[in-house]
Amino acid sequence: ISCQIISYPPFEQVFSNAGVLTIRVPPPSYLTITPTSLSVNHSDTATFTCTVTSLTTPNITWTTTATAGITSQPNVLASSQGSDMYTSSLVLIGVTLDSIGSYTCTATNEGGSINTTAMFNVTVPTSGVSLTPDSLEIYYNMTLELNCRVFSVTPPTINWTTTANVTIPSESIVTMNTGNMYKSVLTIDNIDLSYTGLYTCSFTNQGGTESDVSNVTVILPVPTVSITSSPMKYATYADHQFIMCTVTSLMRPSSIVWYHNDTLISSGAQPSFTATVAPNTYTSVLVRDNVVLRDNGVYRCQAQNMAGIGADNITINVFVPQPVILNLNDINATIGLNITLNCTASGFGLTYDWEPVPCSSDCTISGLNTPILSLGPVVFGSAGEYVCNVTDFIGQKVSKIITITPLGPTLLSSNVSNCAATPIQVINGTNEFLQCSFQNRPDAPYNLTVDWFISGQRFGTSRASNASTFVTTTPEDENRIVTTMISFNPVDYLNFISPDISSFEHAYTCTAFIGNFFNEQVTSNGTCLEGLFGPVLITKPEENSRANLGDKFVFKCDPDYSNPRPHLQINKTLTNGTELNLYNGLSKLHSIANVTFDDAGSYRCVLTNDYGRTESNFQLIVQ
């Protein structure tokens, strides 16, 4: 150090001297640390600040007894509280239990060092346990699962306890964590009623113990029952009926029993029940063999377990099918044969009743109350509808009609035409014939008799006896054919006159009689023959006819038979031998209204047509 003294006027002198100056720096003083004691939660941040007074900038270091140690020293900063004050802040981030201990701040300068210590503690929080669900109703035989979530900054110890009358197996607990979040899952399969109770999940760490509770109730529902049947709800009489009961029960039922119309089915008829491949499902099948009407009604399947009874009903109706008549077909039957009608029917308790067609005295019917009706021999009167009535034991009635068509001989050929058409004209004195053929049935038990009828009268009666008419018939040949012919050799007017026939026509029919059944016949269509012949005057005027003066006189000159109607000419012979014509025209009854003596004399009637001429002469005497 140099020292110089200068003297200003009036002295204006300078003095100087030299020496050594030693300066001593005192050690730091007034060292404080704040806070002197600190406790923070785990994973939080803690800060200690050291303040010291030093004439020179000190070196401030931190030391600790904590296991975690101090990874880096903080900077020393000048304090704003004074020019000789300095600070250093130690910041502990994310503290753990290893951060617990004493923390010492040491300040050093040229004059020495000074230190002070603070205590640090880390607390571990215990809040953060949650057990879900907090209340649980779970079905018997299902899987119980509870989830316990724990937040803990340190690894906790997790325990499960329960008030249920069971021991929780350790293998049913799985614990895992992600960071500070821990999850413990309790899983128990196939639980039963004994698992009902309170379940507690508790955890313990350095901060203490916390827990949460879940209330578990194991539910055993009553069995669920459903019934199906085959056939569905209907049973056919005398058939089999299968009724299936399907039971869903979380616990094997103690019993499955059947009732019919609220009456317990006898133990010998009660079926056993079995488990199916479907979980918690059991079946019982009630079989009814040879179903009868008393099997009608309500069937109930009732299942029981520890929770109670479940049931389901089904109504079964026994169906009696209507009788069915089989193979009853219409019949074509040959005349004279005996036949049977077979009314075969299916059904139960059947009775039979036939409604036959009344046949003639030639045939008989038997078996009216049996399935088989006997009829024979068949006649044309057997034709018609025969009704077979079948009634079962409950009164169901069905009917079927069978039509019988009797078959006789067949008219093969004939020149016998329809009588309704224009008649065939035949001329008096000519030869004519009519012919027809019949074929008998191959299975006919008789031969044919063929004959002719003339306007409804069989040939050989008086109507045909005075006519020159001949019938010839051949017997049945190998094909059972019969041919007949009626011949007119020659045609005579007598063929066409009859007291009950007003015209000169006759209907000729050929008829086949069937064996001895003369009421059974096949007839051809009638042919009308019209005879053409000259006038026939059978009733002539008397040769000497008399008339009273003033009376009426009728000339009997009209023909008895003539076809066509003839021409009539009436002449009077005069005294000179000539003839006086009195009438000339179509034949009719001619008369003299008032007879006089001049009317007496000889008369001649002449009748003519294209097929003949006849005349008569008489003498009229007036008196």
Side-chain angles (χ1 to χ4, degrees), residues 161-309:
T161 58
T162 181
T163 62
N165 190 25
V166 295
T167 300
I168 298 176
S170 59
E171 61 270 15
S172 63
I173 301 172
V174 176
T175 302
M176 63 201 78
N177 76 294
T178 301
N180 294 329
M181 184 61 68
Y182 294 81
K183 180 179 180 182
S184 180
V185 180
L186 174 63
T187 305
I188 304 175
D189 295 327
N190 303 318
I191 62 172
D192 55 31
L193 297 177
S194 63
Y195 281 81
T196 296
L198 297 176
Y199 287 75
T200 301
C201 175
S202 61
F203 84 96
T204 302
N205 62 12
Q206 290 83 349
T209 300
E210 285 192 7
S211 63
D212 197 6
V213 177
S214 178
N215 187 11
V216 175
T217 303
V218 179
I219 300 173
L220 176 62
V222 297
T224 301
V225 181
S226 64
I227 296 181
T228 59
S229 70
S230 176
M232 189 63 178
K233 296 189 177 182
Y234 289 95
T236 302
Y237 187 88
D239 204 349
H240 302 286
Q241 179 74 14
F242 300 90
I243 310 176
M244 176 178 286
C245 177
T246 302
V247 176
T248 302
S249 176
L250 298 181
M251 173 186 288
R252 181 179 176 87
S254 58
S255 65
I256 299 178
V257 293
W258 289 86
Y259 289 79
H260 179 216
N261 293 331
D262 293 329
T263 300
L264 181 66
I265 294 175
S266 63
S267 58
Q270 288 282 353
S272 59
F273 67 92
T274 58
T276 68
V277 294
N280 304 320
T281 304
Y282 306 84
T283 59
S284 176
V285 179
L286 181 65
V287 179
R288 305 299 256 181
D289 293 321
N290 195 25
V291 172
V292 294
L293 289 181
R294 65 174 176 269
D295 293 322
N296 266 318
V298 178
Y299 288 82
R300 182 170 80 251
C301 176
Q302 182 172 293
Q304 184 172 7
N305 64 13
M306 290 181 62
I309 294 174

Side-chain angles (χ1 to χ4, degrees), residues 19-133:
V20 177
L21 177 62
T22 301
I23 300 174
R24 293 184 179 182
V25 178
S29 60
Y30 303 107
L31 176 62
T32 61
I33 187 170
T34 56
T36 58
S37 178
L38 178 63
S39 177
V40 300
N41 287 333
H42 192 282
S43 300
D44 284 352
T45 299
T47 304
F48 290 97
T49 301
C50 185
T51 303
V52 64
T53 301
S54 176
L55 295 179
T56 60
T57 301
N59 179 30
I60 299 176
T61 60
W62 291 84
T63 58
T64 181
T65 60
T67 304
I70 297 174
T71 57
S72 63
Q73 293 292 329
N75 295 325
V76 178
L77 301 176
S79 174
S80 60
Q81 298 179 5
S83 58
D84 296 334
M85 297 181 69
Y86 298 87
T87 62
S88 173
S89 294
L90 177 64
V91 179
L92 303 177
I93 299 174
V95 298
T96 66
L97 295 180
D98 291 340
S99 303
I100 298 176
S102 60
Y103 286 79
T104 301
C105 172
T106 302
T108 305
N109 65 11
E110 295 86 347
S113 64
I114 190 173
N115 62 69
T116 186
T117 300
M119 299 305 298
F120 180 64
N121 187 41
V122 176
T123 60
V124 178
T126 57
S127 60
V129 59
S130 173
L131 181 57
T132 57

